[in-house]
Amino acid sequence: MLPSCEPYKIKMIEPLYPSSREERELWIKEARYNIFNLKSDQVFIDFLTDSGTGAMSDRQWSAIMSGDESYAGSRSFHQLKDTVKELIGFEYLLPTHQGRAAENVLFSVLVKEGQLVPGNAHFDTTKGHIEFRKAIAVDCTIDEAYDTSKPHPFKGNVNIDKLEELMRTSSDKVSFILITATCNTAGGQPVSIENIRKVKNLADRYGKLLIIDAARFAENAYFIKTREEEFKNKSIRNIVLEMFSYFDGVTMSAKKDGIVNIGGFIALRSKKIYQEASTFNIMFEGFLTYGGQAGRDLAALSQGLHESTEFDYLESRISQVAFLGERMKSYGVPVQEPFGGHAIFIDALKFFPQIPREEFPGQTLVVELYKAGGIRSAEIGSLMADRDPVTRENRFPALELVRLAIPRRAYTNNHMDYAAAAVGQAFEAAQNIRRGYRLISEAPIMRHFTMELEPI
Ligand code: F0G
């Protein structure tokens, strides 16, 4: 058998500036050791996020040119509506400008003060929109997710016993159940159909809605095909349809598996909820047939959804992420396994065991990767975990991770080789670094975006 490779070739390129270590040391100091403060031209390989950073296809660019900019009833909206119906089987569609906007609109209908929203680990903005309404996001992810070296094919799964216990004791307070697939917070880890069926069964028994945060639904479907015996001979399209068939509603950040630079949507089965959400959509996002997007954005998204649900694309995408993971492992770098769908996560506590958590070993690693190779990554650790809202003490989550998120169709495997070598070099020099960073300024919430640091 021949090896698999990308089912596309490159038509347009964007030059990158290969800076020197001396330049990067100066730039990161000027940025007060916060990689969000860097100019993108100062970054060689940008693994900050896979959100809105993918490369569109020639067909998507053609769709841009034929987008219909009518305020109401746009042809591009109807195209997208048909695509959503065809690929995921939902009748009602509300476009939004991105994923968190979909959360804002739908939760305005569904979430009330004091309620609970259980599920696998909620993404930050999802949790934010739940907590903003004085409700609680209850994390019911399986325990295996929190051990970076423990093998499990579906680390994004919901712990059914924990969810059942919660439903038994407090179902009256539960607003709905939410599954995020793949589960970004747990490391881009997938959720199995077997698990979704069990959650659906519980939701039905207690008369609750089941909602999916579908940002990376196609990557999740790929893992189902390749890891869940029952589905190995099914097509991605069939798996996607079956996966969505268990849900009552969808929030989507199209910046991931829509392969567009901006966009999102809500999809629903209930006309009643659609009508209630429509009012909020008009208030927050725009009229029902554009919701904060240009007609051309809707057209590109419709095409992007067709492309992201092709097996050959998904195979090359997920293989590239795994390629980076394997290369990093070959340098001895401690990474989360199995590898996620959109990112490789480094275990910073194993990379820098000598640096106390109060000195932010995750962020220390982010800075070292930037200095070593101009690689921009993201800390998912104690800076991001913020302070306890009551005691104002730093919170130290179970894991201190650094995420290297791979944009879709944007980099080649040579870039992955380069990045892995840079990480390997930083790993070799890791024992020479004894101290981390201290905060010199921070915002009261979401501090990691704007904080300033200095080396200790
Ligand atoms: N849900 C998940 C699972 C996400 O990963 C994100 C965004 C959102 C919702 C919110 O969508 O950004 O379009 O408003 N994740 C990005 C990331 C930001 O880097 O992981 P959005």
Side-chain angles (χ1 to χ4, degrees):
M1 211 169 85
L2 292 172
S4 75
C5 63
E6 289 74 8
Y8 52 84
K9 59 182 178 177
I10 297 164
K11 192 186 301 235
M12 192 191 288
I13 58 113
E14 191 180 341
L16 297 172
Y17 173 64
S19 50
S20 67
R21 187 174 174 110
E22 290 67 41
E23 284 174 312
R24 295 192 291 268
E25 282 179 356
L26 176 69
W27 291 334
I28 193 70
K29 186 169 179 229
E30 285 171 354
R32 303 260 184 205
Y33 302 96
N34 179 346
I35 39 88
F36 287 97
N37 290 338
L38 289 171
K39 295 181 185 137
S40 61
D41 287 346
Q42 296 170 331
V43 175
F44 188 55
I45 298 194
D46 207 343
F47 288 157
L48 183 61
T49 179
D50 64 319
S51 181
T53 52
M56 292 210 297
S57 67
D58 55 352
R59 289 174 199 191
Q60 285 179 289
W61 282 107
S62 308
I64 290 263
M65 293 309 292
S66 53
D68 173 8
E69 304 305 336
S70 303
Y71 189 97
S74 156
R75 183 175 64 245
S76 304
F77 167 78
H78 285 286
Q79 250 167 25
L80 179 63
K81 190 170 187 288
D82 291 346
T83 297
V84 165
K85 179 82 212 268
E86 178 193 334
L87 293 178
I88 70 172
F90 276 72
E91 199 64 49
Y92 296 104
L93 174 73
L94 285 171
T96 62
H97 80 274
Q98 61 184 88
R100 66 199 71 183
E103 292 162 357
N104 188 30
V105 169
L106 186 62
F107 298 178
S108 293
V109 178
L110 298 181
V111 181
K112 305 276 177 300
E113 185 170 340
Q115 284 189 318
L116 308 174
V117 182
N120 56 352
H122 308 62
F123 183 65
D124 325 8
T125 59
T126 320
K127 200 169 171 189
H129 277 293
I130 292 167
E131 291 178 350
F132 180 72
R133 292 171 172 82
K134 299 196 165 59
I136 300 166
V138 186
D139 181 2
C140 299
T141 319
I142 56 170
D143 294 339
E144 286 87 340
Y146 298 105
D147 182 342
T148 54
S149 54
K150 205 165 191 173
H152 188 293
F154 291 101
K155 277 189 171 178
N157 276 358
V158 174
N159 180 332
I160 300 295
D161 293 338
K162 195 169 170 187
L163 180 63
E164 186 154 19
E165 177 64 15
L166 183 89
M167 297 305 275
R168 211 174 45 74
T169 54
S170 346
S171 76
D172 55 323
K173 285 204 242 154
V174 170
S175 166
F176 60 90
I177 303 171
L178 181 75
I179 290 183
T180 305
T182 60
C183 185
N184 188 6
T185 307
Q189 298 291 328
V191 183
S192 68
I193 294 244
E194 185 196 9
N195 191 252
I196 295 172
R197 284 181 186 142
K198 286 183 181 158
V199 175
K200 172 66 176 163
N201 189 286
L202 267 176
D204 283 350
R205 256 170 50 206
Y206 287 91
K208 302 294 174 189
L209 295 173
L210 182 58
I211 308 287
I212 180 169
D213 174 342
R216 299 179 181 84
F217 74 95
E219 290 169 7
N220 199 77
Y222 175 84
F223 285 120
I224 287 171
K225 182 172 171 67
T226 51
R227 294 185 186 170
E228 203 167 351
E229 182 61 27
E230 183 187 336
F231 296 94
K232 68 172 190 227
N233 295 322
K234 293 247 166 85
S235 70
I236 293 292
R237 293 277 161 84
N238 276 330
I239 293 169
V240 165
L241 262 181
E242 165 143 11
M243 203 168 89
F244 279 96
S245 72
Y246 300 106
F247 292 92
D248 303 292
V250 180
T251 58
M252 174 74 186
S253 167
K255 302 171 74 172
K256 287 83 169 174
D257 278 350
I259 329 187
V260 288
N261 304 117
I262 194 74
F265 61 79
I266 298 167
L268 293 161
R269 295 192 197 285
S270 152
K271 186 172 182 184
K272 182 167 171 288
I273 301 173
Y274 164 77
Q275 284 171 335
E276 286 170 10
S278 293
T279 308
F280 291 105
N281 218 66
I282 292 170
M283 280 201 303
F284 299 149
E285 293 297 296
F287 187 63
L288 308 176
T289 59
Y290 75 87
Q293 296 187 60
R296 54 181 171 270
D297 297 338
L298 302 170
L301 170 54
S302 176
Q303 177 61 26
L305 289 170
H306 283 288
E307 293 176 13
S308 76
T309 47
E310 278 168 13
F311 177 79
D312 289 348
Y313 155 72
L314 284 167
E315 174 123 298
S316 77
R317 156 81 176 149
I318 308 241
S319 305
Q320 182 173 60
V321 175
F323 178 84
L324 175 65
E326 288 298 345
R327 277 289 194 278
M328 280 166 55
K329 256 178 79 177
S330 75
Y331 291 100
V333 177
V335 290
Q336 184 197 45
E337 287 186 85
F339 308 131
H342 68 292
I344 297 297
F345 290 73
I346 305 175
D347 189 333
L349 297 180
K350 290 185 184 157
F351 201 105
F352 284 129
Q354 71 276 25
I355 298 181
R357 291 203 77 181
E358 293 70 23
E359 298 180 10
F360 309 115
Q363 185 64 17
T364 307
L365 179 51
V366 167
V367 172
E368 288 310 308
L369 298 187
Y370 176 68
K371 286 185 193 166
I375 294 160
R376 180 152 69 170
S377 56
E379 189 246 28
I380 307 208
S382 25
L383 277 172
M384 193 186 247
D386 239 310
R387 290 177 188 276
D388 184 288
V390 181
T391 66
R392 301 306 298 158
E393 293 296 323
N394 279 317
R395 286 194 283 211
F396 297 107
L399 295 176
E400 184 86 16
L401 298 174
V402 167
R403 183 182 83 168
L404 280 68
I406 323 297
R408 292 167 183 75
R409 307 191 291 206
Y411 291 108
T412 68
N413 280 5
N414 281 335
H415 290 114
M416 301 301 133
D417 256 336
Y418 167 93
V423 178
Q425 207 179 71
F427 188 54
E428 218 171 276
Q431 66 276 22
N432 304 331
I433 293 171
R434 313 301 308 175
R435 306 297 301 267
Y437 290 82
R438 77 166 70 86
L439 279 156
I440 50 176
S441 87
E442 64 184 298
I445 50 166
M446 305 287 245
R447 65 181 180 184
H448 57 287
F449 289 113
T450 54
M451 66 184 182
E452 296 184 328
L453 298 161
E454 66 181 11
I456 297 177

